[in-house]
Amino acid sequence: MKKKKGTNKLEIPVIRGKVLGVHVYRGYARLRDLASISKADIYDQSKNPQGTQRDLNPKHARAAYEYIKTKDFAFWPEVFLCVREKAIITYTPLKYEMPDIGLLSINMEISKKSEVIAISRVDGNHRLHYADGKDTKYSPIEKTVSFCLAYELNRDEEIQLFKDINDNQKPMNTSHLDNIEVRLTPEEKLKRRSPELYIAQKLGRDPTSILHNRIYEGGRKPLGVDIPLRALKTGIEYMLSRSAQLPRLEDAEAQYRVIRNYFAAVKMWQPKAWSNPKEYIMLRGAGLWAICFIGAFIIDMSLAKAKFSTDIMLETLNSGKEWDWSKKGDFKGFSGRGGALEICHKVTRKLYDDSRMSSQDLLDKILQGD
């Protein structure tokens, strides 16, 4: 890859071929050059109704820039571009007997000055957005990546490929990604950086935990594994953010042991929900997150008295109203974080602590006074 002396042309060694009916050139080039020769055709229902690209997400673009800029060992799938103006490229085979290996010459003057988009970005706009250095806050990226440049496509065909690329991809299971993070991160570092992930995974791996072998970490799903790691991680994050006492335990291992005891108490409190999870909401969605929000309350009450045993927490859970956690029970229709919080408020208002007045009793006493 080089700029031809005395011209404003970029020359790149490429392989010419056909991928599932699409004519393409494939090669390697600096990110700054790929960004310079291409533009995003952003769809705008008023100003550009024929555009192909979704609107740019600056946060996503910054994350892509930081990833490639700061990592020495990294990888990206190839950037996918499309030639719209034939005059911008010239292909020259290196040898007569090998016509599909040659030099691709790109007229950068046309690509920069053209009012129309001479080379469009089909896939890779966020990766290229800051790479050319036009924004003074982001220096150009010199690193080389692979690219695929399609040609002889009409606009409808280009849009169809954009749709296929973005519509046909199966999103990566988030629990699988969390599991990979655990595998790649030393334990002590994980405990400091992501205590909620450390605790969530250990709840599923620790033989002394009642969630042992019930946490789904991605990949092939074993029988009996019914709680996604990502859902539990989020729930533990909610618990830690709501608790006044848990953050004071500065070691994630100590936090884990208290939370492990709490889940053991929950199982004893609602054994049917535990043994028949498909008929109850407690171990999924808003129900699971509600249990975590409730956990912050129960754990704070226990730790405030310097106690954290399962029996103590179970006693507090049993002090309140008897709730129906089945799918058609007291919390039918509750969903998301908001629903989880509402369930938590309903349950904790009815709990009793002999060292303090319940929220409901306090409310009644205030309203009875005067």
Side-chain angles (χ1 to χ4, degrees), residues 19-68:
V19 179
L20 301 177
V22 180
H23 295 280
V24 298
Y25 299 108
R26 304 185 103 137
Y28 297 87
R30 296 184 305 178
L31 269 166
R32 67 177 299 171
D33 292 328
L34 293 175
S36 294
I37 64 173
S38 63
K39 294 186 180 76
D41 189 8
I42 304 295
Y43 169 81
D44 185 303
Q45 64 186 59
S46 300
K47 298 178 180 179
N48 188 25
Q50 299 301 314
T52 58
Q53 272 286 336
R54 56 189 167 186
D55 197 11
L56 183 89
N57 182 324
K59 182 179 178 181
H60 186 182
R62 286 193 297 270
Y65 178 89
E66 290 300 325
Y67 172 77
I68 198 66

Side-chain angles (χ1 to χ4, degrees), residues 267-282:
K267 180 183 179 182
M268 297 169 71
W269 178 47
Q270 298 289 335
K272 290 182 180 179
W274 219 267
S275 60
N276 193 11
K278 290 185 178 180
E279 297 302 318
Y280 293 81
I281 69 165
M282 182 171 279

